[in-house]
Amino acid sequence: MSKKICWLVILILSVSGCAAARHAVPSGLTGDVTVSGLRDIRAVSGARSESFTKDFIGLLEQAEKNSPSFFDFRGGRTYTLLAISGGAAYGAYGAGLLNGWTQEGSRPVFQIVTGISVGAIIAPFAFLGSAYDRQLQELCTNYATKDIMHVRLSHDSFASSRPLERLLEKYFDERFLKEVAAAYAQGRRLYVGTTDLDAQRLIIWDMGKIASVGDERALRLFRKIILASASIPLAFPPVFMQVEAGNKTYDEMHVDGGVIKQVFFLHDIALGLEQAVRQKGLDMSRLKYRIYVIRNGYVDPVWKEIPDSLVDIAERAVDTLINAQGIGDIYQLYTFTRLRGGDFNLAYIPGDHLSAAKEPFDPVEMRKLFDLGFEEAAAGYPWKKVPPGLEKK
């Protein structure tokens, strides 16, 4: 989520108008819907998903056939995962880190990639690998605020997300979808998180499964999910998903996944994998994790003198709240990894880099962030092994 939105509360209070008619999904049906005619393409965070468990069994079979090195549990191989956080314009840092990691030469092929908010935009590029580094750099450094949002106050937002929509249409085309589908067929997985505001739940979408459908309907849904994950509430309008449940049609209101999680790789996915491993009769002690977390933001407090005004105080308060939430999410991932004997790795923007952005998406500042991430990774990034506050003194 962006830290530049708090003043919008004041604007929202001054806007009058009738809300659009809704036909929301009734309570209890969120986990059992069809979206664009497709079933079993998503899971509700915190709820067991039989379809995801079955998918992980298929994942194991695909990986054993196509990429045995990923799942040689008896040989003690490691399962490599990547989780990319939100952060709006700060996503340029993560893009630079991935590019620099390629330059350094040790960037792995990730078995699972997750993304939320701007991380949802970066994740498909990271999933397909270094062949898309140039496009990722371009997307995260070449565009200004006017290329991403168009200011127009309405009943549900102060800006249109149509410019961002056009960018997603440009970069996520038919060829891109086919490559995601091919990686899915090899036993790799890409997940994006959105917030269902009606249900107050994080929805985890299986983007590879959607891509494997391979038609225009799947391409539209693929883009729509990423748009929803990056749709900052109040700034951008919500994204409505038309769904079917119980022979009736409903609409779901989806916004930025960062409303609930700044970064995710929760037990929703991992427990499904562990259940699948047990069902295949494999030794759970051989299931090893190496998780890389890219935090497109700070973890250290950044001092800044705040003017004594309503807008500045509100902005700073929400910024602090979001940062604290992001650190909490990192701790959750760290705990999950440690309890399973995994290897935890964290990257984030260093506290001594002070942003000089003149607008929400400032190409000059984003290039600086990109270069910072690139240079750190190209030199061999010193991955942090513990969350902030647990470092040995």
Side-chain angles (χ1 to χ4, degrees):
M1 292 180 65
S2 171
K3 66 179 184 178
K4 299 291 185 182
I5 64 172
C6 304
W7 62 272
L8 298 176
V9 175
I10 301 169
L11 291 177
I12 295 298
L13 293 175
S14 68
V15 175
S16 62
C18 298
R22 292 284 320 280
H23 190 36
V25 178
S27 176
L29 291 183
T30 301
D32 186 28
V33 301
T34 298
V35 188
S36 298
L38 305 176
R39 289 189 61 82
D40 300 331
I41 58 171
R42 68 183 204 176
V44 180
S45 177
R48 178 171 294 185
S49 170
E50 292 300 323
S51 66
F52 268 43
T53 299
K54 291 178 182 177
D55 177 71
F56 278 120
I57 293 175
L59 182 154
L60 291 172
E61 293 170 346
Q62 289 170 322
E64 288 172 348
K65 177 181 178 180
N66 300 308
S67 305
S69 61
F70 284 123
F71 285 96
D72 185 7
F73 294 117
R74 294 175 180 81
R77 299 284 183 169
T78 302
Y79 193 78
T80 308
L81 320 168
L82 174 66
I84 309 173
S85 84
Y90 287 158
Y93 175 78
L97 192 147
L98 287 165
N99 273 255
W101 202 353
T102 298
Q103 178 75 17
E104 186 268 341
S106 66
R107 177 176 163 182
V109 174
F110 298 102
Q111 195 68 16
I112 289 180
V113 177
T114 74
I116 210 154
S117 196
V118 71
I121 296 174
I122 296 172
F125 296 99
F127 181 68
L128 292 184
S130 58
Y132 279 88
D133 280 357
R134 183 187 60 78
Q135 291 94 322
L136 178 59
Q137 177 181 1
E138 178 181 288
L139 181 57
C140 291
T141 61
N142 282 15
Y143 299 104
T145 306
K146 64 180 178 60
D147 302 309
I148 295 169
M149 57 199 301
H150 173 65
V151 176
R152 61 106 180 90
L153 196 59
S154 70
H155 70 280
D156 60 2
S157 66
F158 90 101
S160 167
S161 57
R162 182 54 188 154
L164 175 58
E165 242 183 302
R166 286 195 291 265
L167 286 178
L168 298 181
E169 290 167 0
K170 174 183 176 180
Y171 287 96
F172 300 131
D173 57 13
E174 292 84 356
R175 177 182 175 184
F176 194 101
L177 199 74
K178 288 179 181 178
E179 294 195 30
V180 172
Y184 175 83
Q186 293 170 358
R188 300 172 56 223
R189 295 296 183 265
L190 170 65
Y191 299 103
V192 162
T194 66
T195 295
D196 180 340
L197 274 186
D198 294 317
Q200 290 190 318
R201 303 298 291 269
L202 180 71
I203 306 298
I204 300 173
W205 300 83
D206 188 338
M207 304 299 280
K209 191 168 187 177
I210 293 169
S212 68
V213 175
D215 56 16
E216 184 62 29
R217 167 192 52 165
L219 180 59
R220 287 196 302 269
L221 181 59
F222 190 95
R223 293 166 175 162
K224 194 172 187 178
I225 292 166
I226 294 174
L227 177 66
S229 186
S231 290
I232 304 163
L234 304 184
F236 291 143
V239 173
F240 290 95
M241 302 284 184
Q242 189 175 81
V243 304
E244 298 82 39
N247 296 319
K248 293 183 179 180
T249 300
Y250 302 96
D251 59 82
E252 291 180 337
M253 180 186 286
H254 287 257
V255 298
D256 193 326
V259 168
I260 293 179
K261 288 287 179 185
Q262 287 295 302
V263 63
F264 77 97
F265 188 83
L266 303 178
H267 64 279
D268 312 84
I269 294 173
L271 291 184
L273 177 58
E274 291 169 358
Q275 291 170 355
V277 170
R278 291 191 186 97
Q279 289 184 36
K280 288 188 68 66
L282 296 174
D283 184 356
M284 280 296 299
S285 68
R286 297 291 185 180
L287 182 58
K288 301 298 181 182
Y289 299 97
R290 176 174 291 124
I291 296 182
Y292 292 94
V293 181
I294 297 179
R295 160 91 171 131
N296 292 306
Y298 299 94
V299 299
D300 301 314
V302 178
W303 189 91
K304 179 183 179 182
E305 181 175 340
I306 306 302
D308 185 14
S309 74
L310 178 62
V311 171
D312 290 296
I313 292 170
E315 178 184 320
R316 182 66 165 180
V318 171
D319 182 30
T320 303
L321 177 65
I322 291 171
N323 284 344
Q325 174 196 3
I327 293 170
D329 295 337
I330 290 170
Y331 268 83
Q332 189 175 48
L333 287 173
Y334 173 73
T335 301
F336 161 79
T337 307
R338 285 296 302 272
L339 288 175
R340 288 158 178 79
D343 178 25
F344 178 84
N345 301 271
L346 170 66
Y348 51 80
I349 299 174
D352 58 3
H353 176 83
L354 300 179
S355 174
K358 293 181 172 60
E359 57 178 302
F361 295 91
D362 183 338
V364 174
E365 175 60 23
M366 290 190 292
R367 288 186 194 106
K368 290 178 180 178
L369 279 169
F370 180 91
D371 291 342
L372 174 62
F374 183 93
E375 290 166 5
E376 288 182 330
Y381 191 85
W383 293 92
K384 283 68 174 177
K385 308 304 290 185
V386 296
L390 294 185
E391 304 93 341
K392 292 181 179 180
K393 303 300 183 182

